[in-house]
Amino acid sequence: MLPTRQPILRRFWYPVFRASHLDDGQKPFRLLGEDIVVWRKPDGTLAAIADRCPHRSAKLSLGYLDETGSLVCGYHGWTFDCSGKCVRIPQRENPTATGKIAVDGYRVAERYGHIWVALGEPLTPLPEIPEANEAGFRRVDQFYEEWKIGALRLMENSFDVAHPAFVHRGTFGSTSRPLPEQMPIVTEHANGFDYYVESEVDVRGDDSADALKIAEGTTTRKRTNTWFMPFARRLGITYPNGLRHTIVTAATPMEDARTMVIQFCFRNDTEADVSTEQVIAFDRKIVDEDKLVLEGCSPDVPLAVVDGEEFHMPSDKPGLVMRRRLRELLEAHGETESRAVPA
Ligand code: FES
Ligand SMILES: [Fe+2]
């Protein structure tokens, strides 16, 4: 699937910035092939509008915010409010006589320390992450970085229980365990699915042992993995020592082969137990292992064909459900799946 060619994907929420990114003014973002500009007014109101001035096409993100928090084009000073309406043309005798001049305005929200944007009327709510409101949990913002991959590629990988043994053989995986003991049973819900799986993982090196407070050797991860259609997931991991490490990963589609990978986690320990730097460093190695493999893949996600038939492994099940659900979503809205290569 090529996300920029599926209009229905505009009708979902995507994180685009950490909240702190807006502390020093407006910021540009490329979302689903569109340039947008996002900012926060002095009174806290958030704004997201098209990043293109209707006068002579300057990028509004290169302008500045006036004292009321409206965005002034840096070229000739046309000024736009949070909804995208032009509220001032300084060269006019009556500068506020702007008529119907406007650029597109988008929905914008702040949740989990991040700024989320929907280009169209959202079909689903923002992902619900219970740990965000659970006593005893802290949030650690881990990653905000652009990868040269398609968003579906990252999502499918997030639910692929066969990849850790190979991709993560340098951290927690082992090729001696090509699959978890039991296959995930996928439970579908209106906005995605969940599955639960237990797997044995290695704890190797002081970094991992310190980040988990588990001695080197092997341990068990109990994982509840939730997919929030189309490109976000929650991975709730519980370790035998009671540590809960819940990872939220979003693959925000910038272009078909450009994705902003945004990851934050919630943990039921404290900074004194394990520092923020340790929490980030622990997952950094794991995420880099995924990145190395995924950036080498095609941005589209073709299925293997063997002897003229699609070939699936039992562990492909969550990814196949994801594809079916996305196909159903497209069909329900009169779209067909766009592909870079024939499937
Ligand atoms: S291009 Fe923006 S005001 Fe002229
Ligand atoms: Fe992985």
Side-chain angles (χ1 to χ4, degrees):
M1 172 193 280
L2 302 174
T4 67
R5 302 194 208 166
Q6 309 289 176
I8 195 64
L9 296 181
R10 298 168 61 85
R11 297 185 58 186
F12 291 90
W13 289 104
Y14 302 100
V16 295
F17 291 116
R18 287 182 178 164
S20 59
H21 291 166
L22 300 185
D23 287 351
D24 56 350
Q26 76 282 357
K27 291 285 177 325
F29 193 85
R30 182 92 172 157
L31 179 59
L32 284 166
E34 277 201 30
D35 287 320
I36 64 171
V37 51
V38 185
W39 75 96
R40 190 199 312 275
K41 286 179 38 165
D43 69 2
T45 311
L46 292 165
I49 66 174
D51 191 10
R52 187 65 66 196
C53 182
H55 176 226
R56 288 292 183 271
S57 77
K59 291 196 73 147
L60 293 169
S61 54
L62 296 174
Y64 60 93
L65 299 179
D66 69 13
E67 61 290 345
T68 68
S70 288
L71 183 57
V72 183
C73 179
Y75 202 172
H76 311 95
W78 288 24
T79 302
F80 299 83
D81 71 11
C82 287
S83 70
K85 181 177 169 12
C86 180
V87 291
R88 185 174 160 82
I89 297 179
Q91 297 81 3
R92 279 204 160 156
E93 196 175 333
N94 176 3
T96 58
T98 55
K100 293 199 170 113
I101 298 171
V103 297
D104 287 341
Y106 308 112
R107 288 153 190 79
V108 54
E110 183 168 344
R111 184 80 64 87
Y112 313 129
H114 287 72
I115 307 297
W116 302 66
V117 169
L119 296 177
E121 178 70 34
L123 289 171
T124 60
L126 286 157
E128 214 40 69
I129 311 296
E131 292 81 359
N133 301 314
E134 211 175 311
F137 278 81
R138 59 175 167 146
R139 192 190 78 238
V140 175
D141 293 342
Q142 295 183 289
F143 309 116
Y144 179 90
E145 58 198 35
E146 190 180 324
W147 290 14
K148 293 182 186 59
I149 58 167
L152 179 59
R153 177 69 76 184
L154 179 60
M155 269 305 101
E156 187 174 61
N157 179 69
S158 297
F159 298 98
D160 175 353
V161 293
H163 89 277
F166 295 89
V167 172
H168 300 301
R169 62 190 183 279
T171 50
F172 65 90
S174 168
T175 52
S176 65
R177 296 184 301 258
L179 283 175
E181 287 78 59
Q182 92 273 28
M183 281 299 105
I185 297 172
V186 176
T187 306
E188 296 187 47
H189 49 75
N191 303 328
F193 63 62
D194 323 288
Y195 69 70
Y196 174 82
V197 73
E198 293 187 20
S199 50
E200 191 175 274
V201 296
D202 289 350
V203 180
R204 290 188 205 128
D206 293 343
D207 291 357
S208 302
D210 288 350
L212 299 174
K213 293 273 187 267
I214 293 173
E216 282 196 61
T218 57
T219 188
T220 306
R221 281 182 176 179
K222 297 181 175 182
R223 291 183 287 157
T224 305
N225 221 342
T226 303
W227 175 45
F228 300 98
M229 192 184 272
F231 303 132
R233 67 109 188 226
R234 169 191 173 277
L235 170 57
I237 305 173
T238 303
Y239 290 95
N241 64 358
L243 173 67
R244 287 169 59 196
H245 180 83
T246 292
I247 298 171
V248 180
T249 309
T252 296
M254 305 174 79
E255 293 280 2
D256 294 328
R258 280 175 72 195
T259 295
M260 190 62 81
V261 177
I262 296 175
Q263 183 165 304
F264 47 94
C265 70
F266 295 91
R267 286 174 63 113
N268 63 342
D269 59 2
T270 66
E271 186 72 25
D273 297 324
V274 180
S275 72
T276 292
E277 290 69 30
Q278 283 177 300
V279 172
I280 293 172
F282 171 63
D283 278 333
R284 175 80 266 170
K285 285 188 205 152
I286 295 169
V287 163
D288 279 346
E289 290 171 330
D290 287 308
K291 182 179 183 187
L292 183 68
V293 170
L294 296 180
E295 285 200 327
C297 296
S298 152
D300 204 352
V301 191
L303 296 166
V305 175
V306 177
D307 296 335
E309 302 264 334
E310 272 184 16
F311 178 80
H312 306 142
M313 306 190 295
S315 53
D316 293 334
K317 177 78 191 286
L320 292 171
V321 174
M322 181 180 295
R323 287 159 183 270
R324 173 175 54 71
R325 291 291 300 275
L326 287 172
R327 231 174 15 247
E328 287 169 1
L329 170 78
L330 299 181
E331 284 163 10
H333 292 85
E335 292 180 26
T336 49
E337 187 177 4
S338 59
R339 301 195 69 88
V341 290

